[in-house]
Amino acid sequence: MAQWTSAVGAAQLARLLTSQQERPAGPGSRRPPAYRALADGIRLLVLEGRVPVAARLPAERELALSLSVSRTTVAAAYEALRGEGFLESRRGAGSWTAVPAGNPVPARGLEPLPPEALGSMIDLGCASLPAPEPWLTRAVQGALEELPPYAHTHGDYPAGLPALRAMIAERYTARGIPTMPEQIMVTTGAMGAIDAICHLFAGRGERIAVESPSYANILQLMREAGARLVPVAMAEGLAGWDMDRWRQVLREAAPRLAYVVADFHNPTGALADEDQRRRLVDAARAAGTVLVADETMSELWLDDELAQERMPRRVCAFDPAGSTVITVGSASKAFWAGMRIGWVRAAPDIVRSLVAARAYADLGTPVLEQLAVNWLFSTGGWEQAVALRRAQAGENRDALVAALRRELPEWEFSVPRGGLTLWVRAGGLSGSRLAEMGERTGVRVPSGPRFGVDGAFEGYVRLPFTVGGAVAEEAAVRLAAAARLVETGGTGAAAESPRTFVA
């Protein structure tokens, strides 16, 4: 019986491999043999999770034709991978990816490191900050005081607690977007919200238009739901959306859904202006596409000027009939990742459909956490906690930017005015190989291709504003050490053992 659970086509694997661009070899350095480079490329794809474990690889002849190399080169690469434990084969069943005994199975998302690894490894993989105390403790205490009446009920609220739905609706209304509680569904984080929307609107094989780059975990969620992702390139720097490209994709591909992050885009940090929002909503309406607007970063402006200026209106403000835009919000980015409360704002009939479908998913969201968020909203604690979060993220951003400019002056980036992430062009180096070498130098960083479709953005890495001060400086030092290892093909002097840090 075959041991593989999925398959990677020759053309797809070739695209992923050819995206791994490296800086030209320097004087005196030698390129590895072709078979070794191919084996290293496949191994790296497995380690990053971009090719899953137990995925059947194409036959040697097929891959050789797609890569324009000899079959002997592919056969030698496969043999090297088998010797290293990254490939298993059986006559008649083919070859499939594996990991050597004792190695953890690679994650395909951006999961945080386990706590026991944080002492020696600086984690720049997860864009999340510690809780803004004392507001978490106060919110939980307030929730406990409100809990007794709910404890006498079944505790099952598929649409969310009525009090929290009303509070969220009131907050939209206060921003000039009239909203009824019937337009709100409370979910288990923004991921839960988008998962429910995808299952309702985009069945297996349906097209979903996504920004390119976009949030890695959402892209993976959509892939695993069977969606066909249609990338739409972002403009350079912080310019945001390219509306000509969006109109073309929506008109020609006619995707069922489009997913966008208009407020401090993840990973680039771009902030879409009101004209871009209006034109995108108009284009989606004309194409019959449902536009999912992720506004989980919308309150995380970091510059004082933005605090005094008027932020662009929410995307749903340009859809007064409510027929085109579905909005997703969350407490997890602006407050704390451990507060797994999200919400959907949509037309009442869409909310009813989402609630009905929830019976076959997670049934509902924890009552105590909903009460905690409702306490924050109703007491003013939310505004004070988010202000604390902005100050912390802003200080971290400035420290990281200064450290990168000092240690890696050839790396290019635009400094965003908000959000939690910096999108960095890594001076011509492979982001995938930087991620690999970063594990050796003591810094965990996600590579650019995690945020693209089919191997795009190999020359980028995403750096979140999760560390500051001396830890940000040390992170930049370790990244510079990883860059040197990439430049020498990993054969240069090994980095010193990472110092233990308590962030």
Side-chain angles (χ1 to χ4, degrees):
M1 180 178 177
Q3 301 298 306
W4 50 272
T5 57
S6 62
V8 181
Q12 179 188 8
L13 184 56
R15 285 196 302 271
L16 291 170
L17 288 166
T18 55
S19 72
Q20 295 176 335
Q21 300 298 325
E22 294 184 80
R23 176 175 290 178
S29 62
R30 294 190 303 172
R31 290 192 178 278
Y35 85 89
R36 183 69 261 173
L38 176 56
D40 288 347
I42 294 174
R43 175 179 55 83
L44 191 57
L45 291 172
V46 174
L47 288 173
E48 280 211 315
R50 291 162 60 201
V51 169
V53 175
R56 186 179 186 275
L57 294 185
E60 295 170 1
R61 187 183 303 277
E62 294 175 3
L63 185 57
L65 287 172
S66 292
L67 292 173
S68 298
V69 300
S70 71
R71 183 177 177 182
T72 302
T73 296
V74 177
Y78 279 15
E79 183 60 32
L81 289 168
R82 277 190 287 269
E84 296 164 4
F86 285 95
L87 197 69
E88 296 181 9
S89 302
R90 181 176 298 169
R91 185 178 298 276
S95 300
W96 56 92
T97 56
V99 292
N103 282 36
V105 176
R108 303 198 73 187
L110 302 177
E111 292 80 2
L113 283 174
E116 61 269 18
L118 294 177
S120 60
M121 182 74 69
I122 298 177
D123 186 8
L124 297 182
C126 187
S128 299
L129 290 163
E133 288 288 28
W135 298 106
L136 174 62
T137 299
R138 292 181 183 177
V140 173
Q141 290 171 342
L144 288 172
E145 293 175 2
E146 298 292 333
L147 183 61
Y150 295 94
H152 294 290
T153 74
H154 49 64
D156 186 4
Y157 299 89
L161 293 184
L164 181 55
R165 295 176 72 196
M167 180 60 67
I168 294 171
E170 182 180 315
R171 290 172 64 84
Y172 278 107
T173 301
R175 297 188 185 102
I177 307 168
T179 304
M180 303 179 295
E182 292 79 9
Q183 292 177 259
I184 302 297
M185 170 183 166
V186 180
T187 63
T188 307
M191 291 287 288
I194 294 169
D195 182 56
I197 293 166
C198 288
H199 279 88
L200 180 64
F201 284 95
R204 186 165 294 275
E206 291 277 6
R207 294 184 180 92
I208 302 179
V210 295
E211 296 148 327
S212 184
S214 187
Y215 179 34
N217 286 340
I218 293 294
L219 294 180
Q220 191 58 35
L221 181 156
M222 292 174 175
R223 290 188 188 102
E224 293 183 357
R228 298 165 60 190
L229 301 184
V230 182
V232 185
M234 297 282 288
E236 286 295 320
L238 299 178
W241 300 337
D242 184 324
M243 288 312 307
D244 290 336
R245 288 174 177 164
W246 270 104
R247 278 196 302 271
Q248 180 182 2
V249 167
L250 293 177
R251 182 177 62 250
E252 296 178 358
R256 187 70 181 92
L257 286 179
Y259 169 77
V260 298
V261 184
D263 300 287
F264 309 119
H265 175 260
N266 185 355
T268 68
L271 177 65
D273 61 35
E274 289 202 357
D275 182 61
Q276 290 173 320
R277 296 169 193 240
R278 179 184 296 105
R279 292 167 64 192
L280 182 59
V281 172
D282 290 344
R285 184 183 298 114
T289 298
V290 175
L291 182 62
V292 180
D294 182 337
E295 58 178 28
T296 53
M297 299 280 193
S298 62
E299 297 188 60
L300 288 177
W301 62 83
L302 304 182
D303 289 353
D304 292 338
E305 294 83 359
L306 276 180
Q308 299 167 6
E309 299 172 9
R310 184 172 67 88
M311 282 281 291
R313 284 177 288 171
R314 304 295 174 89
V315 175
C316 59
F318 301 97
D319 180 37
S323 59
T324 299
V325 177
I326 298 178
T327 301
V328 171
S330 173
S332 300
K333 290 297 185 186
F335 186 75
W336 183 47
M339 188 66 78
R340 303 304 304 161
I341 299 295
W343 54 86
V344 173
R345 180 197 180 275
D349 61 320
I350 293 176
V351 168
R352 286 194 294 270
S353 296
L354 289 169
V355 171
R358 193 171 197 177
Y360 308 102
D362 64 353
L363 297 178
T365 302
V367 169
L368 188 63
E369 292 185 28
Q370 292 187 71
L371 289 172
V373 172
N374 193 57
W375 183 92
L376 288 166
F377 284 157
S378 61
T379 62
W382 176 267
E383 283 70 25
Q384 296 183 65
V386 173
L388 182 63
R389 170 67 78 238
R390 291 190 198 107
Q392 183 180 12
E395 291 174 1
N396 288 354
R397 178 197 62 181
D398 295 345
L400 181 62
V401 165
L404 288 173
R405 285 175 171 164
R406 181 177 62 253
E407 300 292 336
L408 292 156
E410 67 277 14
W411 286 18
E412 303 171 44
F413 52 85
S414 298
V415 181
R417 305 180 73 186
L420 291 172
T421 58
L422 195 67
W423 185 236
V424 180
R425 192 193 302 269
L429 299 179
S430 160
S432 298
R433 298 186 186 280
L434 279 168
E436 181 186 25
M437 296 304 172
E439 297 285 341
R440 292 172 55 179
T441 61
V443 59
R444 180 174 181 257
V445 56
S447 66
R450 287 180 175 266
F451 304 88
V453 177
D454 268 351
F457 307 110
E458 182 60 50
Y460 289 80
V461 292
R462 189 197 73 170
L463 305 178
F465 312 142
T466 51
V467 297
V471 183
E473 294 176 4
E474 178 67 14
V477 169
R478 296 183 185 187
L479 282 171
R484 289 192 293 273
L485 286 174
V486 173
E487 289 176 319
T488 59
T491 59
E496 296 181 5
S497 299
R499 292 176 287 177
T500 297
F501 260 84
V502 179

